[in-house]
Structures are given as structure tokens and as C-alpha cells.
Amino acid sequence: LETDLPLIIIRKEAKEYGTKGQIVGDFIKNSRALMVEDVATTGCSVLKAIKLLREGGLLIRNVIVVVDREEGAHAALADEGVELTPLVRIRDILKGALHID
């Protein structure tokens, strides 16, 4: 919102009112979009969202995630041609919490 860039939100389920779709927001078909997620584990949820956005006409090649729990998301997304960029990995959080070098 701070950047004035378009924002798209994905609903878990389509609503019976409003736009009635799972994708909320304005976008131009065949344009690139950057997905931002809070946590990635296996990548299953992220891949479902990417599939929905691609079906809606968006090109998704990059996902930024706050925390990568390192349980397969990186490889699963790579298999679909998507690069996962975490802000932090779980091992880094654990190292800090446990004071491990």
C-alpha cells in the first residue's frame, strides 16, 4: 500500500457477494506479479495460490516469504519455475534462539 503498486488478495474460498471470485484486486492479464507470503513449509499452499493466479492470467516467477521453514518449499517451487526468496530461514531463527554457531 505504501508503494501505490496494485495489490491482489487471494481468498481461501469464493464469496457469494461482491466480485464472487477468489482473486480480489485489479490486474492486467499476462502481467508479472510478485507473491508475498508469511511462511513457507512444503510449498503446497503457495503452489495452490500460484496455480489460481496463473489461471487468472498472471505470471508468477518469484515468491518472497518472511520465514522459510525449510521443509521442501524451495524445491517444490523451483520445480514449477518459481524462485523462493526467504527473508529468514528457520535454521537462522533456531541458531539465534539456541545461541548455536
Side-chain angles (χ1 to χ4, degrees), residues 82-95:
V82 178
E83 181 180 345
L84 179 67
T85 303
L87 298 181
V88 66
R89 291 176 177 84
I90 194 67
R91 69 181 119 155
D92 299 324
I93 294 172
L94 293 174
K95 279 183 193 176

Side-chain angles (χ1 to χ4, degrees), residues 31-50:
S31 62
R32 289 183 65 178
L34 170 68
M35 180 180 282
V36 179
E37 276 288 323
D38 53 355
V39 177
T41 305
T42 63
C44 186
S45 297
V46 176
L47 288 170
K48 284 181 187 177
I50 289 170

Side-chain angles (χ1 to χ4, degrees), residues 11 14 18 20 29 33 45 52 56 63 65 70 73-74 90 92 97:
R11 292 183 171 151
K20 297 184 180 179
K29 286 191 178 195
S45 297
L52 182 67
V63 174
V65 65
E70 299 183 287
H74 190 271
I90 194 67
D92 299 324

